[in-house]
Amino acid sequence: MATIKDVAALAGISYTTVSHVLNKSRPVSDQVRLKVEAAIVELDYVPSAVARSLKAKSTSTIGLLIPNGINPYFAELARGIEDYCERNGFCVILCNSDDNPQKQRNYLRVLLEKRVDGLIVSSVGGDEGLAGGFAAVRTPMVVVDRELEDVEADLVRIDHELGGYLATRHLLDLGHRHIACISGPEHTSVARLRLRGYQRAMQQAQIEVPPHWVIASDYTSPGGYEAAATLLAKDPPSAIFAGNDMIGIGVLRAAAERNV
């Protein structure tokens, strides 16, 4: 691979002058600039991003941590972030932690080692040591969707409790009274908040919720399928509030198999 010194030798000038041309750090004559550009093309030279970032103290990269890349919600979220960053001259390093706290910690370390300019984090949750790791980060960070306790960072999220309430309220308004809930993992704040919204709507409707109407699942289609199969096996409810889209897909599959 060609180096800046190779470019300088072919152009017949010093490598510091080549550096000035590349970084536009000092005016050079058009003749010199054309020589450098011709040498770059001939040698197929690619400037070192690492060296330039060390000098500029910026890598023009953003690290994005998401818990599940298969989930359409996080796929759409990542696409929106990537599109905006691209328009503003930044690259995105996408890390999918597969809802695994250890994998998330490993990715966090890698991103910090790469000196990313900023972090956007949708946390897996469920790991008491995780928040401490994020709290020690000095890189600018924005937390999305799932709040990190004891971490000082800007937070962008929806009102998950209100969402659970409105979803359940909609089913109640349709006339349902036997409404089950398949919530997400109990260790995530998102799942707890959505379940709380479901419970609030049922309490306002003065409907007692039997324990077997509420099942905790993971945020996957197979998880939703297994939970729905359990609910539909005997004394099935007339409606199910699914904790997220992936759970909902599993519910639809389980219902279809039973001609519901």
Side-chain angles (χ1 to χ4, degrees), residues 165 167-177 179 201-202 205 207:
Y165 173 84
T168 309
R169 186 71 256 172
H170 174 68
L171 294 173
L172 289 166
D173 290 343
L174 290 175
H176 294 283
R177 290 298 178 267
I179 305 171
M202 296 295 277
I207 298 174

Side-chain angles (χ1 to χ4, degrees), residues 248-260:
I249 292 171
V251 171
L252 290 174
R253 178 185 159 208
E257 288 182 357
R258 290 158 179 78
N259 297 317
V260 177

Side-chain angles (χ1 to χ4, degrees), residues 99-126:
D99 287 309
N100 185 326
Q102 181 59 52
K103 193 173 181 180
Q104 182 173 252
R105 283 197 298 271
N106 294 340
Y107 275 139
L108 175 62
R109 185 182 67 254
V110 169
L111 291 173
L112 295 177
E113 288 174 351
K114 291 186 177 296
R115 300 292 192 271
V116 293
D117 293 334
L119 288 167
I120 300 175
V121 178
S122 183
S123 173
V124 170

Side-chain angles (χ1 to χ4, degrees), residues 17-59:
T17 302
V18 176
S19 177
H20 290 314
V21 173
L22 292 172
N23 297 309
K24 300 179 180 180
S25 53
R26 195 179 74 183
V28 298
S29 67
D30 289 341
Q31 183 180 7
V32 170
R33 179 176 54 79
L34 290 172
K35 282 184 178 181
V36 172
E37 291 175 351
I40 288 173
V41 171
E42 183 174 339
L43 295 171
D44 196 21
Y45 169 70
V46 179
S48 170
V50 174
R52 296 175 73 176
S53 65
L54 288 173
K55 185 173 182 179
K57 295 184 179 180
S58 173
T59 59

